């Protein structure tokens, strides 16, 4: 069971494509042709109906596609896919540059490295998912003050 198939099954079950759109998931990220076709179908369906198709609709269009049970969080699956794509992209870039260096073509190696970094940036793979604590300090302070002044507050919604 590939990460891609698990991720597609998860978004279909949860009927939420927004995390994939936010991370700029591309067709080329799917190595299995059927997963790539399902992803293209999900995007097309969303652009037409502004929603993720139900599992029944997906299976009507892809009767041989196997939807997998949801065993991991959507965030985990998405991070796993992005990490694998980032690793593959970096590995390919370094391999290409190393081959050029072996051939004593240092200028082309540098261009390959620069192109690889640019490609990572364009695909959104150079960005981290870490929260920048320096941004929105006023809002964070107001949240802290509210929680401090409301001791009966027992939980905080985390979105997870």
């Amino acid at each position: 069971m590939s990460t891609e198939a698990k991720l597609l099954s998860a978004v279909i079950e949860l009927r939420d494509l927004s995390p994939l759109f936010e991370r700029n998931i591309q067709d080329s990220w799917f190595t299995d042709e059927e997963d790539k076709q399902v992803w293209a179908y999900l995007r097309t369906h969303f652009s037409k109906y502004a929603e993720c198709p139900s599992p029944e609709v997906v299976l009507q269009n892809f009767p041989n596609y196997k939807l997998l049970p949801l065993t991991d969080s959507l965030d985990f699956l998405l991070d796993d896919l992005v990490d694998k794509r980032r690793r593959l992209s970096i590995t390919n870039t370094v391999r290409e540059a190393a081959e050029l260096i072996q051939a004593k073509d240092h200028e082309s190696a540098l261009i390959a490295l620069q192109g690889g970094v640019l490609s990572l940036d364009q695909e959104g793979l150079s960005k981290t998912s870490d929260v920048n604590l320096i941004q929105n300090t006023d809002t964070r302070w107001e949240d802290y003050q509210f929680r401090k002044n409301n001791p009966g507050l027992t939980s905080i919604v985390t979105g997870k």
Side-chain angles (χ1 to χ4, degrees):
M1 293 183 281
S2 70
T3 297
E4 295 92 342
K6 288 179 183 180
L7 179 63
L8 291 175
S9 294
V11 297
I12 292 166
E13 182 175 327
L14 299 171
R15 302 207 51 203
D16 184 10
L17 295 170
S18 60
L20 279 69
F21 293 146
E22 290 168 5
R23 297 293 287 271
N24 197 28
I25 304 301
Q26 304 292 315
D27 293 357
S28 62
W29 293 27
F30 295 92
T31 55
D32 180 81
E33 193 58 39
E34 190 171 30
D35 288 338
K36 190 179 294 189
Q37 290 173 359
V38 169
W39 170 239
Y41 176 75
L42 295 177
R43 286 186 300 98
T44 302
H45 185 94
F46 184 86
S47 68
K48 188 172 183 179
Y49 301 107
E51 68 175 7
C52 180
S54 68
E56 294 78 18
V57 170
V58 172
L59 292 176
Q60 284 173 1
N61 288 279
F62 298 91
N64 296 324
Y65 193 72
K66 179 150 175 61
L67 292 175
L68 304 172
L70 183 61
T71 57
D72 297 302
S73 74
L74 185 58
D75 289 334
F76 169 78
L77 294 169
L78 189 53
D79 284 347
D80 192 39
L81 177 65
V82 170
D83 287 344
K84 286 178 181 177
R85 181 63 186 184
R86 180 183 292 147
R87 189 176 322 116
L88 177 65
S89 184
I90 292 169
T91 301
N92 289 341
T93 298
V94 170
R95 183 178 296 122
E96 180 185 357
E99 289 170 1
L100 291 165
I101 291 169
Q102 288 291 331
K104 301 204 183 305
D105 188 353
H106 300 105
E107 187 68 28
S108 294
L110 180 60
I111 291 169
L113 288 170
Q114 290 170 334
V117 170
L118 180 61
S119 177
L120 281 170
D121 193 46
Q122 288 174 338
E123 289 188 29
L125 295 172
S126 65
K127 298 178 180 82
T128 179
S129 60
D130 295 340
V131 175
N132 185 344
L133 296 176
I134 296 173
Q135 294 178 341
N136 304 321
T137 54
D138 292 336
T139 303
R140 292 179 190 283
W141 179 251
E142 290 168 10
D143 288 345
Y144 165 75
Q145 290 294 333
F146 176 78
R147 288 184 184 90
K148 179 182 169 193
N149 295 326
N150 293 283
L153 190 62
T154 58
S155 65
I156 300 170
V157 176
T158 64
K160 301 231 177 200

